[in-house]
């Protein structure tokens, strides 16, 4: 799976046909994946519009014990199977179940009402006998990191979230304000700091913000947000991926990044159980 993901990232952006072939190979591997104790389950999430959402579910190895689970949302333009193929090595031995959905399905299924659809996913996990309903986390990539923030704010059942911390919406607001007033370069940092941390103050769960690399979040702004949140006693951490420079350009080390994200989720969801 890791080799497929490396190949997919090395494919020329102008060769979508080659990338589609790799995506199909990943999906075929997912369909046949299995080990002695765990298997991938294609599932359908019931929705109010009676059109089920297709997703992938990977249960914990011990079905007799209620364990933590994480809803994972792919980045834009990426299928659920492609994301799952990449994440399997990071989650398979952590005692965490994962439910993987695609960005496009979350956005289009409910005509923009993504929070309702994600709530249906959380409902699905909450009634599973192998999931502890008090230990359900959330992980979003790319623009889905912004969706994850909005959902974590709207649904207090989320126990931990790897998201954008509200920075995407804040960046768009600042850009719009600068365009309207033509004063973006002269906006005072004190003026900007309050709205930057406003959304994350509504969260009631620990937050991990991925910054830099393929993330939509600027490392500089993430560090500023972290400083503001620490001062306000908000549980937030910032992680940045390792970048390797090759003859093909800069490549994000997604293996170490995924490991660190799910190690953080595992830690926070375990603490939630202990409390």
């Amino acid at each position: 799976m890791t080799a497929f993901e490396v190949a997919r990232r090395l494919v020329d952006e102008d060769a979508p046909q080659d990338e589609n072939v790799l995506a199909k190979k990943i999906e075929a591997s997912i369909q046949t994946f299995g080990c002695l104790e765990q298997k991938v389950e294609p599932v359908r999430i019931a929705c109010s519009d009676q059109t089920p959402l297709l997703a992938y579910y990977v249960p914990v190895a011990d079905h007799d014990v209620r364990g933590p689970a994480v809803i994972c949302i792919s980045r834009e333009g990426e299928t659920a199977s492609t994301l799952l193929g990449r994440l399997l090595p990071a989650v398979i031995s952590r005692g965490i179940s994962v439910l993987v959905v695609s960005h496009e399905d979350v956005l289009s299924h409910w005509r923009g009402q993504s929070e309702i659809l994600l709530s249906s996913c959380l409902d699905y996990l909450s009634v599973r006998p192998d999931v502890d309903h008090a230990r359900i986390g959330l992980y979003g990539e790319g623009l889905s990191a912004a969706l994850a923030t909005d959902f974590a704010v709207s649904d207090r059942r989320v126990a931990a979230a790897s998201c954008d911390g509200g920075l995407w919406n804040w960046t768009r607001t600042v850009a719009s304000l600068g365009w309207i007033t033509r004063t973006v370069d002269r906006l005072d940092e004190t003026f900007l700091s309050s709205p930057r941390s406003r959304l994350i103050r509504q969260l009631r769960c620990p937050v991990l913000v991925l910054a830099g690399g393929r993330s939509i979040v600027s490392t500089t702004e993430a560090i500023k947000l972290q400083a503001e949140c620490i001062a306000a006693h908000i549980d937030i951490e910032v992680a940045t991926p390792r970048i390797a420079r090759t003859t093909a350009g800069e490549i994000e080390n997604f293996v170490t990044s995924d490991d660190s994200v799910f190690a953080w989720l595992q830690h926070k969801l375990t603490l939630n159980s202990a409390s």
Side-chain angles (χ1 to χ4, degrees):
M1 295 299 182
T2 302
F4 276 138
E5 180 63 20
V6 172
R8 193 174 72 87
R9 295 192 182 208
L10 288 175
V11 166
D12 186 354
E13 292 181 357
D14 296 327
Q17 185 174 1
D18 291 341
E19 184 166 356
N20 289 337
V21 170
L22 285 170
K24 290 180 179 179
K25 287 182 178 293
I26 293 173
E27 187 162 358
S29 299
I30 291 294
Q31 298 294 345
T32 58
F33 172 82
C35 64
L36 292 177
E37 297 178 323
Q38 288 176 289
K39 289 186 179 296
V40 175
E41 302 175 12
V43 298
R44 295 175 180 268
I45 308 297
C47 305
S48 299
D49 65 355
Q50 298 181 348
T51 304
L53 168 70
L54 299 179
Y56 289 106
Y57 179 72
V58 183
V60 293
D62 189 351
H63 290 257
D64 297 327
V65 177
R66 289 180 178 270
V70 178
I71 300 171
C72 303
I73 318 167
S74 73
R75 68 170 49 250
E76 59 280 8
E78 184 178 58
T79 65
S81 59
T82 301
L83 175 61
L84 179 56
R86 197 195 83 214
L87 293 183
L88 277 175
V91 304
I92 201 66
S93 301
R94 294 195 180 276
I96 299 177
S97 300
V98 292
L99 180 70
V100 184
V101 297
S102 77
H103 175 88
E104 277 67 27
D105 285 344
V106 171
L107 281 185
S108 65
H109 221 74
W110 279 83
R111 297 180 183 177
Q113 300 182 47
S114 58
E115 294 168 13
I116 299 176
L117 180 57
L118 291 173
S119 183
S120 296
C121 292
L122 204 152
D123 291 340
Y124 168 81
L125 290 175
S126 296
V127 298
R128 284 192 64 103
D130 56 344
V131 173
D132 182 347
H133 67 87
R135 292 192 287 160
I136 298 178
L138 190 60
Y139 168 72
E141 267 212 338
L143 291 177
S144 293
L147 295 180
T149 300
D150 292 339
F151 177 59
V153 168
S154 68
D155 198 317
R156 299 300 176 86
R157 294 177 295 172
V158 176
S162 175
C163 58
D164 80 326
L167 284 175
W168 176 245
N169 288 332
W170 175 82
T171 300
R172 290 193 302 174
T173 299
V174 171
S176 298
L177 181 62
W179 182 81
I180 294 173
T181 63
R182 308 298 183 186
T183 59
V184 65
D185 295 332
R186 299 194 298 274
L187 292 177
D188 185 75
E189 178 61 29
T190 303
F191 171 78
L192 295 175
S193 64
S194 177
R196 179 166 45 215
S197 59
R198 182 176 300 155
L199 184 61
I200 203 169
R201 290 171 185 270
Q202 300 176 45
L203 291 168
R204 293 296 180 267
C205 68
V207 173
L208 174 67
V209 176
L210 294 179
R214 300 178 75 202
S215 170
I216 61 172
V217 176
S218 158
T219 302
T220 301
E221 297 304 337
I223 293 174
K224 291 178 181 178
L225 175 66
Q226 183 182 34
E228 294 165 11
C229 290
I230 290 176
H233 305 289
I234 298 172
D235 189 351
I236 180 177
E237 293 183 37
V238 173
T240 56
R242 296 179 182 176
I243 304 296
R245 291 175 173 80
T246 70
T247 55
E250 293 187 345
I251 301 176
E252 179 182 320
N253 189 333
F254 62 88
V255 176
T256 57
S257 180
D258 293 341
D259 280 341
S260 65
V261 169
F262 281 90
W264 180 87
L265 284 165
Q266 181 183 30
H267 174 64
K268 291 300 181 181
L269 295 175
T270 299
L271 286 179
N272 197 63
S273 174
S275 61

